């Protein structure tokens, strides 16, 4: 079946009324016939039909056993970490999302969880840190903002060898391009704020698990900790999912053209994009992401100074200067002064975040317009 047919028809028609749009159940509680006698719903933190619809849709989209919707991507990550206990260890990709780094290092470390940050672009590096205490291997592929690719299948095999679970933050790839559970991952999470929502108008987090045991654990944590997504935002994410494949395919097409333009531009030093044959793990990305290399690009300037980068990011017209990504409108940012400002300069440079690195989130505008916009910014910076 065509991917888009499958996505559209995984969204249910309301059984009660035939409503083609999933109804928004804006309620805190449900009237019961007698104590404990109800229609399967008793309190909205525990369960809400709009949320249940979204959770089922995302589980289907990722090919998992069950899905869970949280208030933000970080609330989703937090719920996964709460499956751990003191003494457990995590092996995590070294240029993990900054907010995940902050949560792991500044909150969970103090509860006795040990985190090893590893360059997972070589799967063999992961083996060095696996032991009987390793409970999670945490990957992003592609990563932010340097678009590094890790071999999910190989790493899952290694992790399972010591009984560890593999979690993939699939925010950048999206379920349209990459389905980590098929590749051997146990848990997939998304910041629904990005491509799934797709319009830069909400915050959301999603978790999909591959077994009933993990589903029971995450359900218990979701209800106990309470970071659930409200019904109206669930509905907006469902509406976003209806067009996610169309949007992402267009965004990937734009990104391929823009990456090629940048790679041959005289003012550009280096382009990070998994779709370029020069990318270290281009071959792995080709297979793992079904030929869709994503809508995110980063590049550094020949003039590797913060001044040049700041001049560039304030010179574009269609690429709006903002944090976040994945929306229909193109965005750009300067990671070292914005998303990665809290990372010490030496650490930043070591992971490839130069002073002039610029990150692009390609939207759905015309590729030629986006390329002209970048060209006029190069011209302006030159003066
Ligand atoms: C944005 C983002 C998150 C966090 O999501 P929020 O919805 O902002 O909490 C996690 N991982 C990645 C890769 C992200 O881009």
């Amino acid at each position: 079946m065509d991917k888009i047919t499958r996505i559209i028809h995984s969204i249910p028609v309301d059984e009660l009324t035939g409503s083609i749009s999933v109804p928004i159940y804006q309620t805190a509680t449900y009237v019961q016939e007698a104590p404990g006698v109800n229609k399967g719903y008793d309190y909205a933190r525990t369960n809400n039909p709009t949320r249940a619809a979204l959770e089922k849709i995302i589980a289907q989209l990722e090919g998992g056993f069950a899905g869970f919707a949280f208030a933000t991507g970080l609330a989703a990550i937090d719920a996964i970490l709460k499956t751990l206990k003191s003494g457990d260890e995590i092996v995590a990709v070294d240029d993990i999302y900054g907010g995940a780094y902050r949560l792991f290092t500044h909150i969970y470390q103090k509860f006795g969880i040990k985190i090893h940050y590893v360059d997972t672009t070589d799967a063999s590096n992961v083996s060095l840190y696996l032991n009987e205490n390793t409970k999670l291997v945490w990957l992003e592929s592609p990563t932010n903002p340097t678009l590094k690719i890790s071999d999910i299948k190989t790493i899952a095999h290694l992790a399972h060898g010591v009984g560890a679970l593999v979690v993939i933050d699939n925010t950048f790839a999206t379920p349209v391009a990459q389905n980590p559970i098929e590749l051997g991952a146990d848990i997939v999470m998304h910041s629904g704020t990005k491509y799934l929502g797709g319009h830069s108008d909400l915050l959301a987090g999603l978790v999909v698990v591959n077994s009933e045991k993990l589903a029971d654990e995450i359900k218990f944590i979701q209800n106990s900790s309470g970071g659930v997504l409200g019904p109206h935002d669930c509905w907006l994410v469902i509406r976003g999912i209806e067009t996610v494949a169309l949007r992402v395919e267009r965004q990937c097409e734009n990104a391929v053209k823009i990456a090629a333009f940048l790679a041959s531009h005289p003012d550009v030093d280096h382009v990070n994009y998994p779709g370029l044959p020069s990318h270290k793990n281009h071959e792995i990305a080709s297979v793992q992401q079904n030929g869709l290399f994503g809508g995110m690009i980063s590049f550094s300037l020949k003039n590797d100074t913060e001044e040049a980068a700041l001049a560039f990011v304030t010179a574009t017209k269609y690429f709006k200067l903002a944090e976040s990504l994945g929306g229909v409108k193109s965005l750009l940012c300067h990671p070292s002064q914005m998303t990665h400002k809290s990372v010490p300069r030496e650490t930043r440079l070591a992971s490839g975040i130069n002073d002039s690195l610029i990150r692009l989130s390609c939207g759905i505008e015309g590729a030629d317009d986006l390329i002209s916009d970048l060209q006029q910014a190069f011209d302006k910076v030159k003066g």
Side-chain angles (χ1 to χ4, degrees):
M1 195 195 294
D2 181 90
K3 190 160 47 191
I4 296 180
T5 313
R6 189 168 55 80
I7 292 173
I8 299 285
H9 291 278
S10 72
I11 299 169
V13 171
D14 181 42
E15 281 182 16
L16 199 63
T17 64
S19 166
I20 197 151
S21 167
V22 174
I24 302 172
Y25 284 86
Q26 190 72 49
T27 189
T29 192
Y30 308 86
V31 176
Q32 311 198 13
E33 286 159 41
V37 182
N38 56 53
K39 297 180 164 65
Y41 296 92
D42 53 8
Y43 187 60
R45 175 173 15 78
T46 314
N47 221 335
N48 175 289
T50 315
R51 195 173 86 224
L54 169 61
E55 291 176 333
K56 203 166 160 199
I57 292 163
I58 190 67
Q60 282 181 325
L61 208 50
E62 285 290 9
F65 180 83
F68 301 91
F70 293 88
T72 66
L74 272 168
I77 296 174
D78 185 66
I80 298 167
L81 290 196
K82 284 188 173 126
T83 61
L84 303 184
K85 59 178 190 329
S86 175
D88 287 349
E89 298 185 14
I90 305 174
V91 174
V93 55
D94 55 2
D95 60 345
I96 190 167
Y97 175 72
Y101 175 85
R102 184 174 53 204
L103 179 67
F104 286 18
T105 305
H106 296 296
I107 298 187
Y108 280 93
Q109 207 154 263
K110 80 179 180 224
F111 294 123
I113 288 163
K114 196 166 165 186
I115 302 117
H116 305 278
Y117 294 101
V118 177
D119 176 3
T120 57
T121 60
D122 282 315
S124 56
N125 289 338
V126 175
S127 303
L128 304 173
Y129 296 90
L130 294 175
N131 64 58
E132 70 275 13
N133 296 323
T134 314
K135 289 293 153 23
L136 296 180
V137 173
W138 194 287
L139 299 177
E140 288 170 33
S141 182
T143 60
N144 174 31
T146 52
L147 290 310
K148 290 178 188 156
I149 298 289
S150 295
D151 183 342
I152 296 171
K153 205 182 239 178
T154 305
I155 293 172
H157 189 71
L158 294 171
H160 292 158
V162 297
L165 299 179
V166 177
V167 185
I168 311 290
D169 180 337
N170 207 27
T171 303
F172 268 42
T174 83
V176 179
Q178 178 169 278
N179 298 118
I181 288 175
E182 274 175 20
L183 298 165
D186 304 278
I187 303 177
V188 177
M189 61 83 30
H190 285 275
S191 168
T193 311
K194 316 295 167 57
Y195 287 98
L196 293 173
H199 296 76
S200 304
D201 56 7
L202 59 87
L203 295 171
L206 297 154
V207 174
V208 176
V209 298
N210 72 345
S211 72
E212 187 172 6
K213 179 174 174 285
L214 279 171
D216 290 345
E217 270 184 79
I218 299 290
K219 177 76 194 174
F220 182 80
I221 291 164
Q222 184 191 40
N223 188 43
S224 304
S225 291
V228 296
L229 189 62
H232 189 261
D233 285 338
C234 287
W235 181 83
L236 279 171
V237 177
I238 293 170
R239 192 165 74 161
I241 288 173
E242 290 180 336
T243 56
V244 67
L246 277 182
R247 286 184 281 104
V248 167
E249 282 168 13
R250 168 79 166 206
Q251 285 164 312
C252 292
E253 250 172 58
N254 282 349
V256 165
K257 290 177 189 161
I258 291 166
F261 162 77
L262 292 170
S264 65
H265 199 283
D267 299 343
V268 171
D269 181 61
H270 184 75
V271 183
N272 300 310
Y273 186 62
L276 291 172
S278 58
H279 187 281
K280 178 184 171 185
N281 284 340
H282 171 68
E283 294 303 322
I284 295 170
S286 304
V287 177
Q288 197 162 263
Q289 296 180 210
N290 299 312
L292 290 170
F293 296 102
M296 300 298 298
I297 304 171
S298 64
F299 64 100
S300 56
L301 302 173
K302 282 254 166 67
N303 176 1
D304 185 29
T305 62
E306 208 167 271
E307 293 69 42
L310 293 177
F312 190 96
V313 297
T314 51
T316 51
K317 189 169 65 174
Y318 298 134
F319 282 94
K320 302 294 186 195
L321 181 63
E323 308 217 357
S324 200
L325 56 112
V328 292
K329 272 187 189 160
S330 293
L331 299 179
L332 89 175
C333 84
H334 181 237
S336 68
Q337 279 297 308
M338 294 170 72
T339 50
H340 290 65
K341 198 176 167 65
S342 61
V343 181
R345 185 165 180 271
E346 290 314 307
T347 315
R348 257 194 280 125
L349 291 178
S351 64
I353 308 174
N354 298 15
D355 293 335
S356 73
L357 192 80
I358 294 164
R359 187 186 79 178
L360 304 179
S361 167
C362 301
I364 64 168
E365 303 93 332
D368 291 345
D369 296 325
L370 295 177
I371 288 171
S372 308
D373 190 26
L374 296 173
Q375 183 55 52
Q376 66 81 30
F378 282 119
D379 295 342
K380 235 187 237 170
V381 171
K382 267 216 177 111

